[in-house]
Each structure stands twice: as structure tokens, then as C-alpha cells.
Amino acid sequence: MAIDTSTSTPPAPAGTPAAPRLSARDRLVLFVLCAAQFMVALDFSVLNVALPVLGADLGMDQSALQWAVTAFALPSGGFLLLFGRTGDLYGRRRLFLAGLALFGAASLLATFAWDPASFLAGRALQGLGAAAIVPTGMSLLTTTFPEGPARDRALGISGTLLSLGFTVGMVAGGVLTDALGWRSTMGLLALFALLVLPLAPRLLPESRTPDRPRLDVPGAVTVTGGLLALIYALTTAAEHGFGRADVLVTLVAGLLLLAAFVAIESRSAAPLVSLPMLRRRTVAWGNLGGLVTFSMMSTVIFVLTLYLQEVLHLSAFQTGLVFGVQGVLSVVAGTYAPRVIGRFGARRTLVGALAGQGTLGLALLGLGEGGWSVFLATAAVSLASMCHLGAIISYGLTVTSGVPDEEQGLATGLVTSTQQVGLTVGIPLLGVLATTSADLRSGVHTVLVLDAVIVLAAAALIAAGLRTRRSGTVEAEPVGAR
């Protein structure tokens, strides 16, 4: 029998309020959880503009500067699934608070770093703290706000701030570096952690599974090692290409470890990841949507940044303003996305948002070398980002809807792992076509075409994979089941 999991709530009848009222305590809980997610999103981009100044100050050459990003990306992506499941078993609030404390201390270490080693240590510990904060914070959100309009609204706000944090980081990084120096970008993150940490213990309830099965150590080792190897290979390839020996070795090792992980999980009595969950249509196709929307949107932003500065000769500040408009419209999208989801369902919203993102990517093919291209770029990327945000919220709802509370950490760990991998793979796989092209403009156009084709193809596949049978219901049995 098919059951409706296309959204966390059915369409509201006429006269029903579009969004529920949250109590004062609910709003404070949401503030704490969203502020932590915003802080982590900020960390993904706030340092980018500051890297040349940072390198000159600490004596890091161009090849070493890559590690300012990679040192954070490796643990933040590699430990997500492990920490998500650990929170399920031993307490989500406990791990969330530990992650916050570690992130704050690591940000202070990076702020006052005295040499490259101390700075990179701070960045790695920031990534480890983020890996604890993100899945436990989202699972605390989904267990605190019941499935339905309240969770829709909470995830809408969280998704908005996630997108806004990345955009604000791009603008704030340049402003802070020019005004106060690169250390202020890390100090800002420490300030966020110090703001949230005292409030969290008083507001957040503890939550864990009622029983405590043994942690799947072989699964934890293989999936963490596999993700670490894969993320290292892809982030290094973004700078140096796929021809380097270390990239090829770690890429193969990562794939082999992940294959071993699947084999281990199929035989484990208490698996780290439930393979039946991965075979659920909503989980499998929802995560595909998340992977595509994050990887392709990050690629568009990357190549568009190159185009604005190298072809249209905009300054870093002017380029930041373009993405500032994108951030404002993302807030607008986050306000209305839960209402759209409540009316049409998460599945239809996900498919429609991906279709819109892909179509607006094609609109960027009209970019030329005249001043009007700035307006086209601003309008197209901003509207595409609104669709992107709708896809973020709807894929999170699609994946977590119908999942028992005791497995929410696992489900949200999958959601956030998909997000991290998506942010990692897009630029190495497609962005390199623009950076290595003899003509940057034609290279950017090639990337935009491929990007749009991938997004539109994913939308069609997800629409078919989450096909309806009767009256808008989505099949919840495993992929491939009849």
C-alpha cells in the first residue's frame, strides 16, 4: 500500500493558516539551532577572499593555501555520518554542545594562529566541530518540531539561513579583511560560538534512541575513511587536476572503502547506516536532488565569479554585491518555500525547483561582455538561487519525512553528508573546464550548458523515481520494490 510521504503535511484546506505560530520557547530553540547552522555555513565562504592576505601574513605559499580550505572540508564531511549516528545513540544535545565548544575553541586558535601549522590545526578542529554540530543540530530540529507545518516552517528558516550564511560569508569576508585583517574572519566565528553556547544547554532537550545498541565500528571506520579519501581527492583535484598520483590513489581508495562499507552494513546486526533506509524511495531520490542542487549551484557561483571579475572586470566588492542580491532573494524564498511545499508537496516542489534552477542556468548563456550582462547575471543567479533554496528545503523534508525519531540523526546525517559532498564535487568536476579553457568565456558557457543538462535530467529522473500512483501519494517502499 502506498503512503503519502511527498511532504510532511498534506495540502491545507481552505481557511487553514499557511504557517503555524511558534511559542516563545520554540522560537528560542529555533534561534539557537539556526544560529549554529548559519555559523557553519559562514565558515564555508568567509575565508575565501582573505586567503591571499592570510598567506602573506603566515608565510603560506599558493599550494599551502589550498589546505586552508581542505583542512576544514576533510573532517567536516568525513565525520558527518559517524557523528550523526553517535548522537542518535548517546545523546544529540550532548554531542551538539561538544561540537559547539570545539568549534569555538578552534576558531580562537585560528584567530590567534602564529604559524601555518597552528592555523591549519584550528581549521581541522573547526571542521571536526562542524561535523558534530550539523547532523545533531538538524536532528534536534526535526525531533523538536513535529512532522507537519511546524517542521516545514523550521526547516524553511534553517535552509534560508544556510544559504544566506554562505552568501554573507562571501561579502563579509572581503569587508572584514579590508577593515580589520584576515584574523577578524575567524574571530567572527568564535563570537558566534560564544553567543550560542551559553543558551543551548538551557533550551535544548536531550534526545537519543531508547536503547543503546553497540556502535558499528567497522562501518564507522570504512565510511569515515572513504569519505575522507573522496573529499581529499576532489578538493585537491579542484586545484591541481586529476592527473596527480595522490588524487588518483585516494580517489580509488575512497571508492573501495565505501564499497567495503556497503558490504559490512549488509551483514551488521546493528549497522551504522540502515541499508533498507537507503533503499527507501524518498531517501534515495531525495538525496540525489540534494547532491545535484548543491553541486551544480556551487559550480554556477564559481564560474560566474570568474566571469564577473575576469571578463566583465568587476571588483571583488562589486562581485560581492551581485551575490548580496542573491542572498536577499534567498531570504524571500525561505519565507515562502514552506507555503509552496504545504500546497504542492515536497516531491513536486523538489522537482519544480530543480527544473527552475536548470532553466535559469541556461539563461546565463546570454552573458556577453557589455554592462547589461551584470544585470542578467544578477537576475538569473538570484532567481536560480531562490529555486535552489526551495530544492534544499524540499529535499530535506523528502528524506526525513516518515523516518522514526530514533533514526533522525542518521537521516539528517545523510542529508548533511549529501550537502557536503555536493559542495565538494561540483567545482572539481565541472569548474575545471572553465579554468583550463583557452577562452574563459567559452569555457564558462560550456560549464553552464553541462550544469543545466545535469540539473534538468535529475529533475526528470526524480519525478519518475518518486512517481505517484493514486491521488498524489508517493511510494515509500524500497527502491526497486514493486
Side-chain angles (χ1 to χ4, degrees), residues 29-360:
V29 168
L30 189 58
F31 168 78
V32 167
L33 295 175
C34 288
Q37 301 282 356
F38 180 86
M39 174 185 71
V40 174
L42 200 67
D43 201 3
F44 275 104
S45 59
V46 72
L47 195 62
N48 290 351
V49 178
L51 287 177
V53 179
L54 180 155
D57 185 32
L58 294 180
M60 299 173 68
D61 60 24
Q62 191 64 35
S63 61
L65 281 180
Q66 175 210 342
W67 280 97
V69 177
T70 303
F72 176 83
L74 280 171
S76 67
F79 287 89
L80 275 170
L81 278 177
L82 174 60
F83 285 166
R85 189 56 172 162
T86 302
D88 282 347
L89 300 180
Y90 302 109
R92 294 157 186 150
R93 186 185 73 161
R94 180 182 302 172
L95 191 57
F96 180 80
L97 294 176
L100 270 177
L102 177 60
F103 189 94
S107 298
L108 287 174
L109 174 59
T111 301
F112 297 106
W114 54 93
D115 61 11
S118 59
F119 174 74
L120 294 177
R123 290 292 287 161
L125 291 173
Q126 278 183 324
L128 200 61
I133 292 168
V134 172
T136 54
M138 186 168 287
S139 58
L140 282 168
L141 187 149
T142 56
T143 53
T144 299
F145 296 92
E147 195 167 337
R151 185 184 294 180
D152 291 358
R153 184 178 182 189
L155 283 175
I157 295 171
S158 177
T160 300
L161 290 177
L162 178 69
S163 178
L164 186 61
F166 186 86
T167 303
V168 168
M170 295 177 66
V171 179
V175 173
L176 287 173
T177 301
D178 286 344
L180 301 173
W182 70 266
R183 295 179 188 273
S184 62
T185 63
M186 297 291 97
L188 177 64
L189 299 172
L191 184 63
F192 260 102
L194 292 173
L195 172 67
V196 176
L197 190 56
L199 298 174
R202 302 180 183 183
L203 293 169
L204 300 179
E206 185 55 280
S207 108
R208 61 167 70 92
T209 55
D211 56 347
R212 286 195 180 185
R214 293 176 57 187
L215 183 65
D216 175 21
V217 176
V221 170
T222 50
V223 74
T224 302
L227 287 172
L228 287 171
L230 188 62
I231 292 169
Y232 171 82
L234 292 172
T235 53
T236 305
E239 295 289 331
H240 305 288
F242 285 92
R244 281 179 38 156
D246 59 334
V247 172
L248 294 174
V249 169
T250 51
L251 183 61
V252 172
L255 294 174
L256 289 176
L257 284 168
L258 291 177
F261 168 69
V262 173
I264 290 169
E265 297 305 276
S266 66
R267 294 171 173 81
S268 175
L272 183 71
V273 174
S274 167
L275 294 184
M277 176 184 284
L278 290 178
R279 290 193 293 267
R280 288 172 62 101
R281 292 179 182 275
T282 49
V283 173
W285 292 108
N287 274 304
L288 174 63
L291 179 67
V292 168
T293 193
F294 274 111
S295 60
M296 295 300 102
M297 197 66 211
S298 64
T299 302
V300 167
I301 291 174
F302 173 75
V303 298
L304 189 59
T305 301
L306 291 177
Y307 196 92
L308 291 172
Q309 295 191 41
E310 300 296 330
V311 177
L312 299 184
H313 306 295
L314 269 62
S315 67
F317 177 73
Q318 291 169 323
T319 302
L321 290 179
V322 171
F323 293 111
V325 175
Q326 170 200 6
V328 170
L329 291 184
S330 293
V331 173
V332 174
T335 302
Y336 287 97
R339 301 183 187 182
V340 175
I341 292 169
R343 180 175 178 81
F344 297 104
R347 179 192 68 84
R348 293 184 181 88
T349 303
L350 175 59
V351 172
L354 288 172
Q357 181 179 326
T359 302
L360 288 160

Side-chain angles (χ1 to χ4, degrees), residues 364-448:
L364 286 168
L365 292 173
L367 290 173
E369 297 184 8
W372 57 270
S373 291
V374 176
F375 296 101
L376 173 61
T378 303
V381 78
S382 297
L383 293 173
S385 292
M386 294 179 73
C387 294
H388 170 62
L389 187 60
I392 292 175
I393 298 170
S394 54
Y395 107 84
L397 282 170
T398 299
V399 173
T400 58
S401 292
V403 175
D405 278 357
E406 61 269 21
E407 293 188 338
Q408 281 292 332
L410 171 57
T412 55
L414 290 171
V415 168
T416 49
S417 294
T418 296
Q419 168 193 320
Q420 178 63 47
V421 172
L423 287 169
T424 303
V425 302
I427 295 172
L429 293 179
L430 292 185
V432 68
L433 296 176
T435 57
T436 58
S437 175
D439 176 41
L440 179 61
R441 179 179 174 183
S442 65
V444 168
H445 282 186
T446 299
V447 171
L448 291 172

